[in-house]
Amino acid sequence: MAKKLVIKVTAGADAPERCSQAFTVAAVAVASGVDVSLWLTGESSWFALPGRAAEFELPHAAPLPDLLESILAGGRITLCTQCAARREITEKDVLEGVRIAGAQVFVSESVQDDVQALVY
């Protein structure tokens, strides 16, 4: 069984169920003791900014701010470099604990032994 989980979430408010699933899986994995690295790409990039998760609504889903907080507390969250640049998001803009990194880091994390990678 993989002890590390790399999750890339490509959806935001444009596909709320897929987005919520990615954050839920990441938060549950963190709570289960799994080493989690969540990557924000595409429209999910906006959730790297303070207050943006509170704007997300999906009936019968855990609140995104709570999921985000639990992932930050026990895992890692990375915002894609290119996605950030396209949205004019810089390191000074993001939530504390969110890093900005590119494809090389994503690939490096994903191909390690005992890693399971998921894309939502």
Side-chain angles (χ1 to χ4, degrees), residues 9-110:
V9 55
T10 62
D14 60 324
E17 287 182 313
R18 192 162 27 111
C19 176
S20 180
Q21 289 170 358
F23 279 88
T24 300
V25 167
V28 168
V30 166
S32 300
V34 176
D35 181 359
V36 174
S37 177
L38 179 71
W39 282 74
L40 304 176
T41 67
E43 286 302 300
S44 72
S45 300
W46 296 113
F47 299 126
L49 299 175
R52 286 298 186 98
E55 298 172 6
F56 181 87
E57 293 183 12
L58 181 63
H60 310 291
L64 199 60
D66 295 348
L67 297 173
L68 188 61
E69 183 180 322
S70 67
I71 298 163
L72 278 169
R76 286 176 309 290
I77 297 181
T78 305
L79 172 58
C80 162
T81 301
Q82 290 181 17
C83 299
R86 280 189 282 275
R87 290 160 181 82
E88 298 181 358
I89 299 172
T90 67
E91 289 186 3
K92 66 179 180 57
D93 299 319
V94 300
L95 293 164
E96 184 177 341
V98 173
R99 69 178 176 172
I100 297 177
Q104 179 183 5
V105 177
F106 176 79
V107 170
S108 175
E109 286 185 4
S110 299

